[in-house]
Amino acid sequence: MKRILSGIKPTGQLTLGNYIGALSHFKEYQDDSEPFIFIADLHALTLPIEPEELRKNSRDIAAFYLASGLDPKKATIFLQSAVPAHAELNAIVQNYLYMGELRRMTQFKDKAAKLKETAIGLGLFAYPVLMAADIILYDADEVPVGEDQSQHVELCRELVKRMNHRYGDILRMPKAVVPKVGARIMSLTDPSKKMSKSDPKGDIFLLDDPKAMRKKIMGAKTDMGPTVTLDPLEKPGIHNLLTIYASLDGISLEEATHRFDGYRYGDFKKAVADKLDEVMIPFRKRYDEIVESGSYREVLRDGAKRAIEVAEKTLRRVQEAVGLLVV
Ligand code: ATP
Ligand code: LTN
């Protein structure tokens, strides 16, 4: 069966961008593939974070995975830090990726630009190395992610090519799968910037109450001209709202544009807010129930057991291939 792997790092409250670009797609694979879906908590340590916040964010992501419809009988859901093989494989594969390559990564450049040189941790620089280890460990065929992560998956492909060339075909070649609509949801206050949980201006958070979500949609920055048309360059704000609507409704951007052709901005925004209610209110209810019941704990424990079994096998294979003495 096809293997799927993806994760989200618990660096802050999840946004609508995380939901539309990544989270909402994971369940689509569980009937005909084998999804491994994890909480990238080691990755969350690459920037300073309070211990209590990290713990709460990790729990929230587990609950969001379940609330999104992932079924723990079909998908393996686990914490990255609960599977030691991630760190072990990281220690091996870091020798096959190069400083020049890592320095070119957009995410590193963006995050490092906000820090003093002396405050840039080694983990932030080496972030894509650990991410490559995550992917390789489960022999993933496909990695569903938002657009901003595809560069990291490309680098992982480069690593696989390199190691397979050197040691024979020991690793599966993964590929990034980016959604056709909604791979890059933009900030509602500045549609030239990605909606991002670490830069919360213009974000909709999955834990916002419905009133707050509506207010943010109604106040979203729009563009010149009174009515809805599809024009990503001249009307980036409207384009973003059309993308949000289309993704939540499961239709194409063209269909959404057709549906709102000639609508005034206010009426269109109201329809987007209504659609958001329709999807988010039941989602939030499921999340509350899962957190309340604590059922995510057992899911994570069982998931880690299953993940360890699979990951250990790949780790052995790589250890043997590179010449470590396995006894
Ligand atoms: P941070 O701000 O901490 O860097 P983030 O909000 O960019 O975080 P990640 O944890 O890096 O979120 O991403 C989790 C998943 O959500 C990834 O697959 C990523 O590509 C996707 N994603 C993040 N932001 C967006 C967005 N604005 N639109 C679509 N997908 C997104
Ligand atoms: N970098 C990802 C999280 C992540 C990931 C992965 C995604 C860590 N390891 C492996 C897919 C595959 C992010 O969401 N920023």
Side-chain angles (χ1 to χ4, degrees):
M1 247 206 278
K2 205 163 64 180
R3 286 268 178 81
I4 307 300
L5 176 110
S6 197
I8 297 180
K9 60 180 152 41
T11 40
Q13 279 206 32
L14 291 210
T15 70
L16 187 61
N18 299 134
Y19 180 86
I20 290 177
L23 176 58
S24 64
H25 297 283
F26 298 162
K27 66 171 185 302
E28 293 162 10
Y29 295 92
Q30 64 189 356
D31 291 321
D32 57 4
S33 316
E34 217 184 332
F36 286 79
I37 306 295
F38 71 103
I39 298 154
D41 52 358
L42 294 174
H43 276 115
L45 288 171
T46 56
L47 287 171
I49 185 163
E50 286 302 318
E52 276 319 311
E53 203 198 326
L54 175 56
R55 245 187 298 277
K56 179 182 180 298
N57 292 341
S58 299
R59 178 207 70 181
D60 277 354
I61 294 183
F64 284 137
Y65 284 161
L66 294 168
S68 77
L70 274 175
D71 175 353
K73 288 197 207 72
K74 299 176 180 165
T76 305
I77 302 172
F78 61 101
L79 287 155
Q80 184 186 33
S81 63
V83 182
H86 288 254
E88 293 176 69
L89 187 60
N90 179 67
I92 297 177
V93 298
Q94 64 182 347
N95 302 300
Y96 304 84
L97 284 170
Y98 305 118
M99 306 274 284
E101 292 173 314
L102 295 170
R103 220 177 271 127
R104 279 198 293 276
M105 293 291 111
T106 307
Q107 177 178 295
F108 173 70
K109 286 195 284 192
D110 288 352
K111 305 237 177 223
K114 295 183 188 148
L115 297 166
K116 283 203 294 264
E117 177 75 20
T118 49
I120 302 171
L122 181 57
L124 185 66
F125 187 61
Y127 185 111
V129 180
L130 179 59
M131 181 158 161
D134 299 337
I135 296 170
I136 289 168
L137 265 181
Y138 299 92
D139 288 323
D141 299 286
E142 292 183 7
V143 183
V145 282
E147 200 227 17
D148 61 320
Q149 292 301 314
S150 56
Q151 192 184 36
H152 291 159
V153 182
E154 265 322 299
L155 190 64
C156 175
R157 287 169 59 83
E158 191 53 43
L159 172 76
V160 167
K161 210 160 73 187
R162 217 166 270 165
M163 292 192 76
N164 281 349
H165 183 69
R166 172 75 177 81
Y167 300 108
D169 279 341
I170 55 166
L171 303 173
R172 180 94 49 101
M173 184 61 80
K175 71 164 192 283
V177 181
V178 173
K180 273 205 208 70
V181 195
R184 190 173 171 82
I185 299 296
M186 310 309 278
S187 155
L188 294 180
T189 50
D190 178 1
S192 68
K193 274 180 35 203
K194 191 189 83 145
M195 187 183 282
S196 160
K197 60 177 131 68
S198 61
D199 186 7
K201 260 213 322 277
D203 280 16
I204 287 191
F205 294 107
L206 300 184
L207 292 181
D208 279 346
D209 67 54
K211 257 212 211 116
M213 286 194 192
R214 181 168 294 269
K215 201 164 157 215
K216 289 179 184 178
I217 295 283
M218 297 311 289
K221 185 167 187 301
T222 42
D223 323 284
M224 298 285 280
T227 57
V228 175
T229 48
L230 191 61
D231 187 341
L233 289 179
E234 293 294 322
K235 296 191 171 200
I238 290 295
H239 185 264
N240 194 36
L241 290 174
L242 280 167
T243 304
I244 291 173
Y245 185 94
S247 320
L248 295 175
D249 199 45
I251 59 175
S252 69
L253 209 46
E254 289 70 27
E255 274 175 276
T257 311
H258 185 66
R259 191 170 296 174
F260 295 108
D261 188 27
Y263 266 56
R264 303 208 143 253
Y265 287 169
D267 295 332
F268 167 54
K269 284 177 168 175
K270 192 171 165 304
V272 178
D274 289 345
K275 180 55 66 185
L276 202 55
D277 272 353
E278 188 186 311
V279 176
M280 284 299 147
I281 292 175
F283 177 76
R284 173 65 193 260
K285 187 161 170 275
R286 290 192 295 275
Y287 160 89
D288 284 338
E289 285 162 7
I290 293 156
V291 169
E292 171 85 13
S293 73
S295 60
Y296 63 90
R297 286 202 189 87
E298 200 181 333
V299 170
L300 292 178
R301 278 196 291 265
D302 290 351
K305 272 189 218 148
R306 161 98 186 107
I308 285 171
E309 265 175 42
V310 174
E312 290 272 313
K313 282 202 191 113
T314 318
L315 179 64
R316 287 282 167 274
R317 197 166 79 222
V318 177
Q319 287 172 331
E320 281 177 7
V322 302
L324 299 177
L325 179 62
V326 178
V327 289

